[in-house]
Structure formats: structure tokens, C-alpha cells
Amino acid sequence: MTQPKKTKIKDFNKFLYNATNTPFSNKRLLKNIDDQKKRIALGKPSMIIIDGKSGEGKTTLGDEVTEYYQGKPTNYELQYGQGGSDFKKKFRLCIQHKLSVCIYDEAGDYNKRGFWSKLNKMLNELFDTYRVFDILVIVILPVFVKLDDHLFDAGIPRLLLHCDDRGKKYGNISVYGLNRMLWMKWLLRQRKVKSALECYKREQPHYKSKFKNIPPDRAKKLDRITKEVKKSKLDSNYFVDSNLMSYKDLADKLNRTRDWVSAKVSKLGIKEEEIFKRSKYFKPNVLKRLEKELKD
């Protein structure tokens, strides 16, 4: 973590440990992160997984690991992807701007239908062409054990940083390597444990570390970005849950252009149910009226 300019020592020490001059208390963690650079330099793919319950500091830790790895602050606009489509966009931007780390944060997609199959498909496709890009991928999830076996068979996940029992000033990390991750996945697959979270109680970490909070200015910026995405998802889910349809939704259902739908809606004098961000949304029965127009 880089020291801000004109920062007093007492403030500086709030965010770094004296023993390591980083946000991390354990030097072994620094070595393990540095080891990923060596792997990538040899053309070998590498992924760091950060998992834990909500509010345990996963996003903060991902930010700090990124900064330590690349030696400069995380560029949230280019390196921090929330959800699958945003991550793909950010990964392309990382290639374009020659950045060495890209972060995937599930950003509330975890409970959606098909989440794991989509995530595993995306990661497998990404790492199939990984050697071309030399980018460390950091994946932030509630639990890691449902990640595809193919990723582990290929030796791609190298570190698991499990966050738990966060306090006001620092968080706690349990660090696992590839073999112990494989063992925990086996425990769940063989139903030796009742839940994914129970895996952490059955397998001891290689070691533990603490990590301090990021400075307030960065914390506010990161919090604002994550809240904006979550609000956007909430707004989108509202229209899905209420069955309201946009011009695009209607056009897709009818296999017609948006302009065709707009013209027919105007001709029939159909009034929108709601307007959100300059987009009009209609009740589902509008679809039947437009289908009738196609038949006439």
C-alpha cells in the first residue's frame, strides 16, 4: 500500500503494520502474493480467491491485494468488475491499459439462478486463453467450494483468503493453498460436511493474518461504486419482478425492431405504466395487443 503524500506518521500507521509496512500483518502472505508474479512470468495462470460472509471485508482485501501486487493504487474504473458482464469489460480494459490485476466481485449475483454455471463457464473460457494476457485474477465470492473442478485440476487457484470475524479496525484472514482447497471441495462433494461453511471448521489454514482498513477517502469511493451497482441491480430487478416491459423487451419478444414497437405503441395510443431513466415501461398485456397487430 502506498503512503499518501503529506500524511502524518500516526495516521499512516492506522492503515499499515510496522512489521511489514503493508496492510497485512503476516509476511508469509506477502511472499505468497509475490509468488504469483513468478508463476505468471513463467506463463502459468494464477487466481487468488477471497471469500467470506457479507461484511467481512472481502472487497477491501481485494483492493489491498491488488495494490500490493502491482505497487500502485487500484484503478476501480478499469480493474474492479462487479458481476460477469462488467468483469469481462474490465478484463479487456486491463489488457488494453497493460494492467496486471483484474478483480471479479460477484456483486449480489450469487443468489441468481444459474450463477455458478455462468461463473464457471466464464472463468474456464478466460483461462483457456490466459497465457496471452499475464493478468492475475482475483475472485471475490461468499464461498469458493462450488467453483468448477476443472479450474482446480489445472492448478489455477493458488491462494484462498477466507475472511472472518472482522473488527472495527482490521479484518482476519485464514490462508489456504491449492491442496487444502481441494480437500475442502472433496469434503463437501462426499457430504462429509453439511454445508460449504462447515469446510473451514474441518480444515486448518496454513496460517492466519490480519488486514487493516483502507483510508477513508478510498473506502468512500469504493463504497460509492459498489452501492451504485447494487442500486442499479435493485432497480432492474424491480422491473423484472413487476413484469413491466421496456421497448427493447417487447421488440425481443415480437422479433421486431424497437422503432416498430415504438410506432405501434404510439399509433394505438398506449400509455406507459412507468418511466425510469428516460425509458418507458409497459404492462404485460401490451404484448398481446402488439401480437394482434402482427396478425392483422
Side-chain angles (χ1 to χ4, degrees):
M1 185 174 181
T2 53
Q3 180 179 359
K5 293 181 179 179
K6 298 182 180 179
T7 302
K8 296 179 181 179
I9 293 297
K10 65 177 183 178
D11 292 331
F12 181 55
N13 288 341
K14 286 182 181 179
F15 309 108
L16 302 180
Y17 286 96
N18 292 331
T20 63
N21 200 37
T22 74
F24 313 116
S25 64
N26 196 321
K27 291 182 179 179
R28 290 180 66 183
L29 179 57
L30 306 183
K31 181 182 181 304
N32 286 157
I33 297 172
D34 288 337
D35 286 343
Q36 309 319 307
K37 292 181 182 180
K38 298 174 184 178
R39 282 184 56 83
I40 289 174
L42 294 172
K44 298 179 180 180
S46 183
M47 180 169 76
I48 293 177
I49 304 168
I50 298 174
D51 79 352
K53 297 177 183 177
S54 178
E56 296 295 350
K58 301 187 297 293
T59 301
T60 295
L61 180 57
D63 181 19
E64 292 177 336
V65 171
T66 299
E67 182 174 357
Y68 174 77
Y69 183 90
Q70 65 188 13
K72 59 183 179 181
T74 308
N75 186 323
Y76 303 130
E77 287 75 20
L78 298 178
Q79 296 181 276
Y80 180 58
Q82 298 189 79
S85 59
D86 190 42
F87 173 74
K88 290 178 183 178
K89 175 183 174 182
K90 297 300 170 61
F91 195 84
R92 290 193 294 270
L93 289 172
C94 285
I95 296 170
Q96 180 182 340
H97 292 271
K98 298 181 179 179
L99 295 168
S100 57
V101 184
C102 193
I103 303 170
Y104 167 85
D105 192 330
E106 57 89 17
D109 285 344
Y110 179 70
N111 292 318
K112 289 185 178 179
R113 182 180 298 176
F115 167 76
W116 283 110
S117 59
K118 290 177 182 177
L119 173 61
N120 285 319
K121 183 176 184 293
M122 180 189 73
L123 290 175
N124 280 315
E125 289 176 351
L126 178 73
F127 285 109
D128 280 343
T129 53
Y130 185 92
R131 295 184 183 184
V132 179
F133 305 124
D134 297 336
I135 295 175
L136 172 68
V137 174
I138 297 175
V139 174
I140 300 174
L141 295 166
V143 292
F144 85 96
V145 288
K146 292 185 180 180
L147 284 173
D148 193 69
D149 287 344
H150 175 71
L151 294 168
F152 290 86
D153 292 341
I156 293 170
R158 307 308 301 177
L159 278 178
L160 167 63
L161 309 181
H162 177 63
C163 301
D164 192 26
D165 195 25
R166 187 184 190 186
K168 290 184 178 180
K169 296 182 179 179
Y170 63 85
N172 293 287
I173 315 167
S174 295
V175 183
Y176 301 85
L178 176 59
N179 288 336
R180 296 193 184 187
M181 282 189 272
L182 286 168
W183 175 248
M184 285 191 281
K185 281 176 64 64
W186 182 86
L187 287 174
L188 186 64
R189 187 166 56 247
Q190 297 297 319
R191 298 183 180 180
K192 302 292 184 181
V193 292
K194 295 180 180 179
S195 69
L197 291 175
E198 194 178 333
C199 293
Y200 305 108
K201 298 178 181 179
R202 292 284 301 271
E203 180 62 22
Q204 290 295 314
H206 288 288
Y207 60 90
K208 294 188 176 185
S209 180
K210 297 183 184 299
F211 65 99
K212 292 196 175 184
N213 295 329
I214 55 178
D217 57 334
R218 283 174 52 193
K220 287 179 182 178
K221 185 175 182 181
L222 188 56
D223 187 54
R224 184 174 67 252
I225 292 171
T226 56
K227 281 182 178 178
E228 285 175 356
V229 171
K230 288 176 181 178
K231 183 180 182 301
S232 176
K233 288 179 180 291
L234 189 64
D235 292 335
S236 298
N237 289 340
Y238 165 73
F239 290 108
V240 172
D241 294 340
S242 61
N243 293 321
L244 295 180
M245 304 180 75
S246 66
Y247 280 131
K248 183 180 183 303
D249 296 329
L250 292 167
D252 290 343
K253 289 286 187 182
L254 296 165
N255 196 26
R256 288 292 186 271
T257 65
R258 186 187 181 283
D259 289 342
W260 184 91
V261 172
S262 177
K264 288 295 181 182
V265 165
S266 178
K267 177 184 175 183
L268 295 169
I270 298 172
K271 185 69 175 175
E272 71 277 354
E273 182 68 15
E274 290 194 36
I275 298 178
F276 178 72
K277 292 184 178 180
R278 299 183 180 180
S279 294
K280 295 181 179 181
Y281 289 83
F282 302 87
K283 290 183 177 180
N285 61 2
V286 173
L287 180 61
K288 292 183 179 180
R289 292 184 64 182
L290 294 175
E291 286 175 340
K292 184 178 179 181
E293 283 292 304
L294 283 173
K295 295 176 181 178
D296 292 344

